Amino acid sequence: MSTKMMLMANSLTHVRPLTCAAAAGSRLVPQPPDLIKWVKSEGGFVHKSVQIAQGDSFGLGLVASEDIPKGSDIIALPQHIPLKIGSLEAETSLDAGAHSALIKLAQHVPEELWAMKLGLKLLQERAKKGSFWWPYISNLPETYTVPIFFPGEDIKNLQYAPLLYQVNKRCRFLLEFDKILKHELENLKPDDHPFGGQHVDSSALGWAMSAVSSRAFRLYGSKRPDGTRSNVPMMLPLIDMCNHSFDPNAEIVQEEENRNRNMLVKVVAGRQIKQNDPFLLNYGCLSNDLFLLDYGFVIPSNPYDCIELKYDAALLDAASMAAGVSSPKFSSPSPWQQQILSHLNLDGQNSDLKVTLGGRELVEGRLLAALRVVLSNDEETVQQHDLEALKSLTVEVPLGTSTEVAALRTIVALCVIALGHFPTKIMEDESLLKQNVSPTTELALQFRIQKKSFIVDVMRDLSKRVKLLLAKESAP
C-alpha cells in the first residue's frame, strides 16, 4: 500500500467519538498536492494573483497577490472537476457493484440531510486508490468545528433549545446510519464494497457530512429533456476556499463553453479586488444557527439571525398579561378570531406553530397578525383588512393604537421570557470569553452571546416603536 493510501486508511478507520473536540487547521495529509497546479493541469483557469493563505477568522482562504479589476475571471472549473453525485442512476462505472451499493445507501438519507448523500460519494473517493479527486480531498480539513463534534459540555453550552434539537437530531442520524451501513455492507463482495472494504463509522460519516455542508454549492447540473437544468449540490475544488461575507467581492457564475457546450463554473470579481484582499463569496442570508451547524462559525451582529418561538396560547396569555393586557383571549379566542388563526396555520390540525423573530422580518407576519387579531375585540375593523396588511409591520396601527401597542408589548414580553430560558447573562458569557477556553467553548459562548444580543436588539426596536406610537397618540 502506498504512503498516501496508508494515511487515508488510518484516517478512515480511526475511531473518534461524535462529541470529540475538533482542532482546526490541519489537513488530511501533512503536505497535500498543490491544488492550484492540479486545477490548471485539468484544464481549469486560475488567475495568476490567486494565492492560498492563512486568514484571521476562517482559517485557510484565497487572497489576491495583486490588484484585480472588476469583472475579471478569478477561477474557472470545467465540468469534470466539481465533485458531485449528479444522477447516480445515470452514472456508469467499471465498479458497477460498488456504485449500486452507494445508490442504495444514499436512499436511506433524508432530503434535509442532502449533504450526507454527497458525503457518501466523498468518502468513496477518499477510500479509492488513485481517485481523480485525491489532490482535492487531501487538501480538505481533517476536522471541522461544527457542533456534532463538540464535547458534550459545549453542546450544552449553546443554551438554545432549537439548535440543541438540530445538533442532537444530526448526531442520532449519524449513529443510526452507522448501523445501517454495517447491515448493508456486511455481506458484500470486496469488489462491490463502495469504500474498498474499509470500515466507515459514525465519526467518518460526520466528517464527510460536515465537509460537504460547509463547502458544497447548489448549482445547475445536466439539462433535462425539457431544456431546464437540475439543481445539483457539488463541491468546487479551490473555489470552496473563498470565505464568507455578506459584502462579497466575488460571485459564482455558470456559463456554457461555445465549442463543446460544457458548463463552466467560474468565480468572477464583483468589484475591484485590491492586493492582499481575501476573495469573498456570500454563502447565503443565513441565521447563526445554520452558520454554526453547517460551517462551524458565528457571524457577529448577523442581520439575518432570528429566534424560534412556539405559538403557545398559555404562553401568549402570560406574555400579554405581563404587557398590561387585563384579559387576553389566546386560550379562548372567539370563533371569528379562531377562523383567522386557522388561515394563518396557527390553529387546527397540521398547524405550524413555529414562529420567528428576526431574519427578513423583525416579527414573522403570522405571529404579528395573530397578536393583532386576538388582542382586538373589533371584528368589523379586522374584517376591513386583508391578511397581508395584518401581517406587515410596515402597515402602522391597522387596528388602532391601543391594539398595536398591546401586540408589540406582548412580543417584548415574549423576548423577556426567551432571555429567561438562558441560564447565564451576556456579561457572564463575555467574562468567560476572556478566559483561556477551548475553541469549541469559545464558539458556544459566541453563539449564545449573539443570540441574546439579538433578542435585546429586538426588544429595543419594538420598545422604541411603542414610545413613538404613544407619543403620536398623546400629541395635540
Side-chain angles (χ1 to χ4, degrees):
M1 181 182 285
S2 69
T3 304
K4 178 163 64 176
M5 279 303 297
M6 287 177 62
L7 284 166
M8 189 161 38
N10 288 340
S11 188
L12 263 176
T13 57
H14 175 63
V15 177
R16 186 179 67 229
L18 266 178
T19 54
C20 78
S26 58
R27 292 188 263 186
L28 277 183
V29 298
Q31 293 180 316
D34 188 313
L35 196 53
I36 293 176
K37 285 184 179 179
W38 176 70
V39 169
K40 289 180 177 179
S41 72
E42 289 299 327
F45 168 79
V46 182
H47 194 284
K48 63 179 182 178
S49 72
V50 172
Q51 290 185 336
I52 298 173
Q54 186 72 33
D56 294 332
S57 303
F58 301 117
L60 286 174
L62 303 181
V63 298
S65 62
E66 58 185 53
D67 291 356
I68 299 178
K70 177 182 178 180
S72 301
D73 288 351
I74 298 170
I75 302 169
L77 303 180
Q79 65 182 19
H80 68 281
I81 290 183
L83 176 62
K84 55 184 180 290
I85 298 178
S87 175
L88 277 172
E89 292 80 359
E91 287 186 20
T92 57
S93 167
L94 294 175
D95 306 318
H99 178 64
S100 176
L102 199 71
I103 294 171
K104 192 173 181 181
L105 290 174
Q107 291 171 346
H108 290 282
V109 180
E111 189 54 39
E112 65 180 295
L113 296 177
W114 58 268
M116 188 71 263
K117 293 186 178 184
L118 183 51
L120 291 171
K121 176 69 172 175
L122 175 63
L123 281 175
Q124 183 183 46
E125 294 300 328
R126 178 177 166 181
K128 186 187 297 182
K129 186 174 183 179
S131 168
F132 168 78
W133 285 283
W134 175 248
Y136 165 61
I137 294 171
S138 62
N139 275 275
L140 293 176
E142 186 178 19
T143 53
Y144 289 90
T145 55
V146 292
I148 61 169
F149 287 114
F150 280 17
E153 193 60 33
D154 282 335
I155 292 179
K156 293 179 185 176
N157 281 336
L158 294 168
Q159 296 185 352
Y160 181 60
L163 182 61
L164 291 173
Y165 171 78
Q166 290 297 331
V167 174
N168 289 329
K169 183 179 178 181
R170 293 189 182 196
C171 289
R172 284 195 302 271
F173 164 76
L174 290 168
L175 291 170
E176 287 302 315
F177 197 38
D178 183 355
K179 295 176 185 175
I180 291 172
L181 254 70
K182 285 183 174 66
H183 175 72
E184 295 285 351
L185 303 179
E186 61 183 352
N187 295 320
L188 285 182
K189 299 175 184 176
D191 289 345
D192 293 342
H193 197 291
F195 310 112
Q198 296 187 53
H199 172 61
V200 177
D201 61 9
S202 56
S203 183
L205 291 170
W207 173 86
M209 186 169 73
S210 301
V212 173
S213 71
S214 64
R215 307 180 83 87
F217 296 83
R218 283 185 174 270
L219 300 174
Y220 293 128
S222 57
K223 271 190 178 180
R224 299 188 179 102
D226 63 1
T228 61
R229 288 188 178 273
S230 57
N231 187 293
V232 178
M234 56 184 80
M235 301 184 78
L236 306 178
L238 195 62
I239 289 177
D240 62 12
M241 295 189 75
C242 295
N243 284 317
H244 165 77
S245 173
F246 288 132
D247 182 27
N249 56 18
E251 59 185 350
I252 292 180
V253 298
Q254 287 179 276
E255 63 181 43
E256 282 189 337
E257 290 183 293
N258 291 327
R259 66 180 186 275
N260 55 18
R261 313 301 291 173
N262 280 345
M263 181 67 80
L264 284 175
V265 181
K266 300 168 67 174
V267 173
V268 178
R271 60 172 184 258
Q272 183 183 15
I273 299 174
K274 296 182 178 179
Q275 184 179 16
N276 297 325
D277 279 356
F279 295 103
L280 301 170
L281 296 170
N282 187 346
Y283 292 179
C285 302
L286 307 175
S287 68
N288 274 339
D289 304 46
L290 292 176
F291 274 125
L292 186 57
L293 266 176
D294 287 339
Y295 297 94
F297 59 78
V298 173
I299 302 292
S301 303
N302 181 351
Y304 303 100
D305 206 9
C306 63
I307 58 166
E308 290 183 14
L309 304 170
K310 182 181 179 182
Y311 186 88
D312 179 271
L315 176 65
L316 288 166
D317 278 338
S320 294
M321 285 189 284
V325 178
S326 57
S327 54
K329 298 170 59 178
F330 290 98
S331 296
S332 55
S334 302
W336 65 270
Q337 292 171 325
Q338 200 164 2
Q339 187 177 26
I340 294 175
L341 291 175
S342 180
H343 285 309
L344 294 168
N345 201 21
L346 292 171
D347 187 73
Q349 287 188 338
N350 302 317
S351 54
D352 177 13
L353 301 181
K354 186 182 80 172
V355 292
T356 59
L357 298 178
R360 296 183 184 277
E361 308 169 285
L362 184 63
V363 181
E364 185 184 326
R366 294 189 309 138
L367 174 61
L368 181 61
L371 292 174
R372 284 169 166 171
V373 168
V374 177
L375 292 169
S376 172
N377 295 315
D378 191 343
E379 180 181 0
E380 184 178 346
T381 303
V382 171
Q383 298 296 351
Q384 290 173 2
H385 296 83
D386 61 32
L387 272 185
E388 292 309 309
L390 295 175
K391 288 161 66 175
S392 175
L393 197 58
T394 59
V395 179
E396 196 172 283
V397 296
L399 305 181
T401 300
S402 60
T403 299
E404 192 75 359
V405 167
L408 297 182
R409 281 178 169 168
T410 298
I411 299 170
V412 171
L414 286 174
C415 289
V416 172
I417 293 170
L419 275 178
H421 287 157
F422 289 94
T424 58
K425 293 181 171 55
I426 294 176
M427 289 181 63
E428 295 175 68
D429 297 338
E430 290 174 338
S431 177
L432 287 171
L433 260 185
K434 295 175 183 176
Q435 301 175 18
N436 187 25
V437 295
S438 69
T440 53
T441 301
E442 183 178 352
L443 266 176
L445 288 168
Q446 288 174 346
F447 174 82
R448 72 194 202 206
I449 287 172
Q450 291 302 316
K451 198 61 73 175
K452 295 171 197 175
S453 300
F454 166 79
I455 296 172
V456 171
D457 288 343
V458 171
M459 292 169 62
R460 285 175 179 159
D461 189 305
L462 295 178
S463 297
K464 190 181 298 182
R465 289 171 187 263
V466 168
K467 286 183 181 178
L468 288 173
L469 288 174
L470 294 175
K472 286 182 183 178
E473 183 78 2
S474 61

